[in-house]
Amino acid sequence: MATIEECRAALEKLSDNMQGAEGDVRAAAALDRSVSCRITDLDVTFVGRMTGGRIRVDDTLQGPPREKAQIRLSMKGDDLVALVNGELNFAKAWGSGRVKLEAGLRDLFQLRKLL
């Protein structure tokens, strides 16, 4: 089971990857939205903002998020680490329910370019 530190490091790596993206991926990463990433097996939620082509984690909360972010992810810690490391396909994980992504329809269309 991934630790809180490993999950935070995975989010930082994802942010770095987004920063270096080009084309449609870079445009999708340029959204300015509140973000939460709930790690179900650790019962923690990382909250922050997607802005300037990066994900900025502002806080780590015990339990579910207190406020509804504009972009919400939910998964196990091991799945987050595997996704960021390229060992787990997002579309398959999302389709099987291992990863949950919730956002407004317009944001989902933009985010699909990232995923």
Side-chain angles (χ1 to χ4, degrees), residues 52-67:
R54 297 191 62 88
I55 297 172
R56 183 188 73 229
V57 176
D58 296 327
D59 204 359
T60 305
L61 308 172
Q62 198 63 35
R66 292 174 182 87
E67 295 180 18

Side-chain angles (χ1 to χ4, degrees), residues 25 37 41 50-51 55-56 66 70 80 84 94 97:
V25 175
C37 182
D41 55 337
M50 186 170 149
T51 185
I55 297 172
R56 183 188 73 229
R66 292 174 182 87
Q70 292 167 304
L80 172 62
V84 173
W94 184 50

Side-chain angles (χ1 to χ4, degrees), residues 18-79:
M18 289 170 52
Q19 183 73 31
E22 296 181 5
D24 285 345
V25 175
R26 185 169 189 82
L31 291 172
D32 184 9
R33 301 287 187 270
S34 60
V35 177
S36 68
C37 182
R38 175 131 171 79
I39 307 300
T40 56
D41 55 337
L42 297 175
D43 194 29
V44 298
T45 303
F46 296 96
V47 293
R49 189 141 201 104
M50 186 170 149
T51 185
R54 297 191 62 88
I55 297 172
R56 183 188 73 229
V57 176
D58 296 327
D59 204 359
T60 305
L61 308 172
Q62 198 63 35
R66 292 174 182 87
E67 295 180 18
K68 186 176 176 181
Q70 292 167 304
I71 298 172
R72 300 168 302 283
L73 286 163
S74 180
M75 68 195 81
K76 291 183 178 181
D78 288 340
D79 288 339

Side-chain angles (χ1 to χ4, degrees), residues 10-11 13-14 17 37 39 73-95 98-101 114-115:
L11 287 172
K13 182 177 178 180
L14 175 61
N17 292 346
C37 182
I39 307 300
L73 286 163
S74 180
M75 68 195 81
K76 291 183 178 181
D78 288 340
D79 288 339
L80 172 62
V81 172
L83 279 169
V84 173
N85 288 335
E87 300 162 1
L88 179 63
N89 178 280
F90 179 84
K92 289 180 181 178
W94 184 50
R98 284 175 68 177
V99 173
K100 294 180 183 164
L101 170 64
L114 280 174
L115 310 169

